[in-house]
Amino acid sequence: MSHKTLLRTGPLMQGGTSPYGPLGLPDPEGLALPSGFTGRVVARSGHKVAGLTWHAAPDGGACFPDGDGWIYVSNSELPLLGGASALRFRADGTVGDAYRILSGTDLNCAGGATPWHSWLSCELGHRGRVFECDPYGARAARPRLAMGRFRHEAAACDPERRVVYLTEDEPDGCFYRFSPSDWGDLTEGTLEVLSGSGHWRVVPSPAGLLRETRHQVADARRFDGGDACHYAGGVCYFTTKGDAGLWAYDGQTGALDRLCEGVRTLTAAPSGDLYAARRTTQIDVIAPDREVTPFLRLEGQTGAELTGLAFSPRGDRLYFSARRGRAEGRTFEVTGPFRA
């Protein structure tokens, strides 16, 4: 949970002074960072890392504590062979292990971490499912069918209201929330969709066998291609592909605000800063006072998409992947004096 939260009102302010200073020259991998920060590639698609061949099309990701170390989980947006893999880091930052936590699923795009340290991997295909995975590799992944069958993009847990927000990648997609019967167990519960009036309406048939979920509630609010989703400080932030919007849904008041344009995905740091990957190969930092400044840029990678932003549990390392198409992909780690 972030210690500070983005101010709820007012426009975002572009072009201020970065808290980390200007970007330096790109390193051999093309990564331009502020002074004091360093970057490295921890995995490459098609190459071995700790004995595992790292997957192609790396997408959504999250970090989990693991004793003195931590784990980074990454989805694979491949058809039929998607799934998810994990990197286990030792306390000194070296990779100690790599392994699959989900296999044989379709187009695993984004997802979300739960407060009970599981990973929700979302299938993007028609009638896609949400799989709950064990980042530690001890338990088999399980589909959570009560969360609906549709083109799932991402999930974000709201522990205050005990719901999981879900985005849908359709030109007329919806914004959903799932209320489990027991918090911490996603086997059963109620799926709702946000309506045009701002109220939540129950989806009659989450399985969508006869009618797709987004067409079951007449006044459902429509979004042009729901994409990334992240909860921090009482707000669920999500993006839309078709109109390149960054949205903020206030879980307490029900207010929905469109913050800015041109954001693909985002995460939050313990400081309360948001880190937003742009439609270019740049990641900006959005401070709690709503000031937006560049944090890093990946040079020489025209057409690449930045995905899977996530901070290590201590907040001192930022992970993300850069992918072009469904073949080339690199997973990066950035270390430095991130704000506390």
Side-chain angles (χ1 to χ4, degrees), residues 5 9 80 87 100 115 118 140 145 170 188 198-199 205 216 233 244 248 252 289-290 298 325:
T5 59
T9 59
L80 304 178
L87 297 173
R100 295 285 283 175
S118 65
L145 302 181
E170 296 276 8
E188 298 179 342
H199 295 97
S205 177
Q216 292 181 24
Q252 180 176 357
D289 63 4
R290 303 177 78 91
L298 189 59

Side-chain angles (χ1 to χ4, degrees), residues 256-330:
L256 180 66
D257 186 22
R258 185 182 172 103
L259 300 180
C260 67
E261 326 296 316
V263 175
R264 288 184 186 273
T265 187
L266 74 160
T267 193
S271 63
D273 294 327
L274 297 179
Y275 286 74
R278 291 290 187 174
R279 300 231 161 197
T280 60
T281 54
Q282 178 171 304
I283 295 178
D284 288 347
V285 57
I286 306 175
D289 63 4
R290 303 177 78 91
E291 188 168 73
V292 184
T293 53
F295 172 69
L296 69 78
R297 186 176 301 113
L298 189 59
E299 304 283 1
Q301 296 292 312
T302 303
E305 178 182 356
L306 305 187
T307 62
L309 276 64
F311 275 91
S312 61
R314 292 196 301 268
D316 59 346
R317 300 170 191 250
L318 173 65
Y319 293 90
F320 69 95
S321 293
R323 49 173 287 198
R324 285 198 286 194
R326 290 179 174 161
E328 182 183 343
R330 290 178 294 166

Side-chain angles (χ1 to χ4, degrees), residues 7-289:
L7 293 177
R8 301 295 176 87
T9 59
L12 297 185
M13 296 176 288
Q14 303 275 351
T17 302
S18 169
Y20 301 114
L23 302 186
L25 296 175
D27 66 13
E29 293 288 348
L31 201 57
L33 294 163
S35 177
F37 288 85
T38 58
R40 62 170 177 156
V41 175
V42 294
R44 295 178 190 271
S45 296
H47 294 252
K48 294 281 188 181
V49 52
L52 176 77
T53 300
W54 195 241
H55 54 262
D59 208 281
C63 282
F64 300 86
D66 184 45
D68 292 334
W70 60 94
I71 292 169
Y72 177 69
V73 166
S74 172
N75 273 352
S76 172
E77 196 187 345
L78 283 179
L80 304 178
L81 300 172
S85 302
L87 297 173
R88 175 174 273 126
F89 292 88
R90 301 185 184 97
D92 64 359
T94 58
V95 178
D97 196 8
Y99 47 92
R100 295 285 283 175
I101 62 170
L102 178 64
S103 298
T105 51
D106 185 39
L107 294 168
N108 294 84
C109 195
T114 70
W116 49 92
H117 295 163
S118 65
W119 168 247
L120 302 180
S121 183
C122 297
E123 285 186 313
L124 186 60
H126 177 64
R127 300 193 72 243
R129 298 159 291 179
V130 176
F131 282 82
E132 188 168 14
C133 310
D134 178 16
Y136 305 95
R139 300 185 306 275
R142 293 285 183 266
R144 300 307 185 197
L145 302 181
M147 301 180 81
R149 300 290 303 274
F150 53 86
R151 293 188 188 274
H152 282 278
E153 260 286 350
C157 290
D158 177 348
E160 297 169 78
R161 278 147 287 277
R162 297 192 167 191
V163 300
V164 183
Y165 300 105
L166 301 159
T167 55
E168 180 179 28
D169 188 6
E170 296 276 8
D172 58 345
C174 295
F175 184 52
Y176 301 87
R177 74 177 183 187
F178 178 72
S179 303
S181 301
D182 295 301
W183 186 239
D185 181 355
L186 303 176
T187 308
E188 298 179 342
T190 302
L191 183 68
E192 298 173 291
V193 63
L194 184 67
S195 72
S197 65
H199 295 97
W200 291 95
R201 313 288 190 198
V202 173
V203 176
S205 177
L209 290 172
L210 300 178
R211 195 174 190 188
E212 293 171 317
T213 54
R214 71 187 189 281
H215 295 149
Q216 292 181 24
V217 175
D219 64 339
R221 174 76 183 262
R222 305 294 174 182
F223 296 91
D224 192 355
D227 201 358
C229 190
H230 188 83
Y231 177 86
V235 176
C236 181
Y237 301 94
F238 65 96
T239 63
T240 44
K241 290 180 181 177
D243 54 7
L246 172 61
W247 303 75
Y249 176 79
D250 189 317
Q252 180 176 357
T253 67
L256 180 66
D257 186 22
R258 185 182 172 103
L259 300 180
C260 67
E261 326 296 316
V263 175
R264 288 184 186 273
T265 187
L266 74 160
T267 193
S271 63
D273 294 327
L274 297 179
Y275 286 74
R278 291 290 187 174
R279 300 231 161 197
T280 60
T281 54
Q282 178 171 304
I283 295 178
D284 288 347
V285 57
I286 306 175
D289 63 4

